[in-house]
Amino acid sequence: MILTDTHTHLYAEEFNADRDEMMQRAFSKGVTRFFVPAIDSSCTQAMYDLESNYPNQVHLMMGLHPCYVKENYVEELSHVENELAQRKFVAVGEIGIDLYWDKSTLEIQKKAFKYQIQLAKKYQLPIVIHCRDSFDEIFEVLESEKDKHLRGIFHCFTGDYNQAQRAISYQMKLGIGGVSTFKNGQIDQFLNQIDLKHLVLETDSPYLAPVPFRGKRNESSYLEIIAHKLGQLYQLPVEEIARITTENSIEVFGI
């Protein structure tokens, strides 16, 4: 069984004390493919070090997270552009709009999001979208940028059925993680109405740990719990969930 974690911050300082042990736990659960998003320029070297230590398992994205779109965002976008020009990445991410923490930066978040979508198209890469309290704003930007090259993943999808269908209409997969196990997560109420071909699995570790670890540090080995949850929702063996969602990740990332 091969499980694919399409969104995990393995370089995060929360793993500094036991990163190798954490990776081994993931391997033991069948998680052998890890897709790692960028946050801002401060994490770039840590991402490269991680890739160097796990060259066959870890695949890197490049991007500016919307929560880090601040006064220096133009400088940060230049860093993203320079890195994309110098080496290969699997996606531009994580990018998008976050209105949970700071609504005052909405306009520059939209500019940064749009600019990075255009970079993704230039390098023929998928995008990985961070969308928190911002579906309308995200869809507005996607509508302006939609074409045959626009594709990717709605990371940590927490919308409703109609928002799921609209996201899929932009050639996006839905990233399903720990929220699917929460009592108040709600996506489990309709998820099995969506064809599995539109879903990928993720942990977003060290954040958003699934039940029974909710509130604690998340890690990629817990992806198995999310796969089991989808198995219950779709009434399929976990091995089949793993196979289909891994194939979907290959479709997105090309590897």
Side-chain angles (χ1 to χ4, degrees), residues 12-53:
E13 61 182 16
E14 285 89 342
F15 298 124
N16 285 353
D18 65 340
R19 184 170 286 104
D20 291 335
E21 293 85 349
M22 180 269 295
M23 294 294 285
Q24 291 303 317
R25 286 193 292 272
F27 296 158
S28 73
K29 296 293 187 178
V31 188
T32 55
R33 290 160 46 82
F34 307 84
F35 291 83
V36 177
I39 296 297
D40 66 2
S41 60
S42 69
C43 70
T44 302
Q45 190 56 53
M47 290 171 60
Y48 291 164
D49 292 344
L50 177 71
E51 180 189 49
S52 178
N53 290 332

Side-chain angles (χ1 to χ4, degrees), residues 1-249:
M1 181 173 74
I2 297 174
L3 283 163
T4 301
D5 192 346
T6 62
H7 200 105
T8 175
H9 299 268
L10 297 174
Y11 54 83
E13 61 182 16
E14 285 89 342
F15 298 124
N16 285 353
D18 65 340
R19 184 170 286 104
D20 291 335
E21 293 85 349
M22 180 269 295
M23 294 294 285
Q24 291 303 317
R25 286 193 292 272
F27 296 158
S28 73
K29 296 293 187 178
V31 188
T32 55
R33 290 160 46 82
F34 307 84
F35 291 83
V36 177
I39 296 297
D40 66 2
S41 60
S42 69
C43 70
T44 302
Q45 190 56 53
M47 290 171 60
Y48 291 164
D49 292 344
L50 177 71
E51 180 189 49
S52 178
N53 290 332
Y54 297 95
N56 297 319
Q57 293 88 21
V58 167
H59 310 285
L60 302 182
M61 310 177 205
M62 179 49 58
L64 178 62
H65 189 294
C67 289
Y68 294 80
V69 175
K70 305 295 184 183
E71 294 81 2
N72 68 335
Y73 82 98
V74 173
E75 179 184 336
E76 284 288 336
L77 289 176
S78 292
H79 174 77
V80 170
E81 189 165 12
N82 289 338
E83 296 303 302
L84 286 169
Q86 289 179 30
R87 53 153 290 164
K88 184 175 175 58
F89 292 91
V90 296
V92 175
E94 68 187 275
I95 65 176
I97 299 172
D98 188 308
L99 298 180
Y100 178 81
W101 294 108
D102 188 355
K103 294 182 174 66
S104 71
T105 57
L106 173 58
E107 288 309 311
I108 59 173
Q109 284 191 55
K110 287 165 70 173
K111 288 180 181 178
F113 183 32
K114 192 163 187 164
Y115 186 73
Q116 291 181 98
I117 291 174
Q118 291 166 356
L119 284 176
K121 291 179 182 180
K122 176 180 177 180
Y123 290 98
Q124 298 182 317
L125 293 173
I127 60 173
V128 173
I129 299 173
H130 175 108
C131 175
R132 191 168 188 189
D133 291 355
S134 58
F135 275 102
D136 290 344
E137 292 80 5
I138 290 283
F139 288 145
E140 178 188 339
V141 174
L142 292 181
E143 186 65 27
S144 71
E145 289 294 328
K146 68 177 181 180
D147 62 21
K148 65 180 181 180
H149 302 294
L150 181 67
R151 59 194 173 89
I153 297 172
F154 258 79
H155 147 61
C156 189
F157 183 79
T158 55
D160 59 27
Y161 177 79
N162 290 331
Q163 289 166 331
Q165 293 297 335
R166 187 164 182 191
I168 290 166
S169 76
Y170 293 112
Q171 302 181 89
M172 299 291 157
K173 305 291 187 193
L174 308 181
I176 306 302
V179 173
S180 64
T181 70
F182 297 174
K183 283 186 177 179
N184 62 347
Q186 298 185 336
I187 64 170
D188 61 330
Q189 303 300 310
F190 66 83
L191 207 52
N192 62 1
Q193 299 173 42
I194 295 171
D195 195 308
L196 262 175
K197 70 181 181 181
H198 299 303
L199 307 186
V200 292
L201 302 184
E202 61 167 69
T203 59
D204 198 23
S205 59
Y207 318 109
L208 289 174
V211 174
F213 300 103
R214 187 175 184 181
K216 299 179 180 178
R217 186 190 75 170
N218 198 4
E219 60 178 68
S220 287
S221 66
Y222 298 164
L223 196 70
E224 181 191 42
I225 297 170
I226 299 160
H228 275 287
K229 178 65 176 182
L230 261 65
Q232 294 170 6
L233 293 175
Y234 285 88
Q235 298 185 312
L236 289 171
V238 67
E239 293 82 5
E240 187 69 358
I241 297 293
R243 182 187 68 79
I244 293 171
T245 55
T246 288
E247 285 180 358
N248 296 343
S249 75

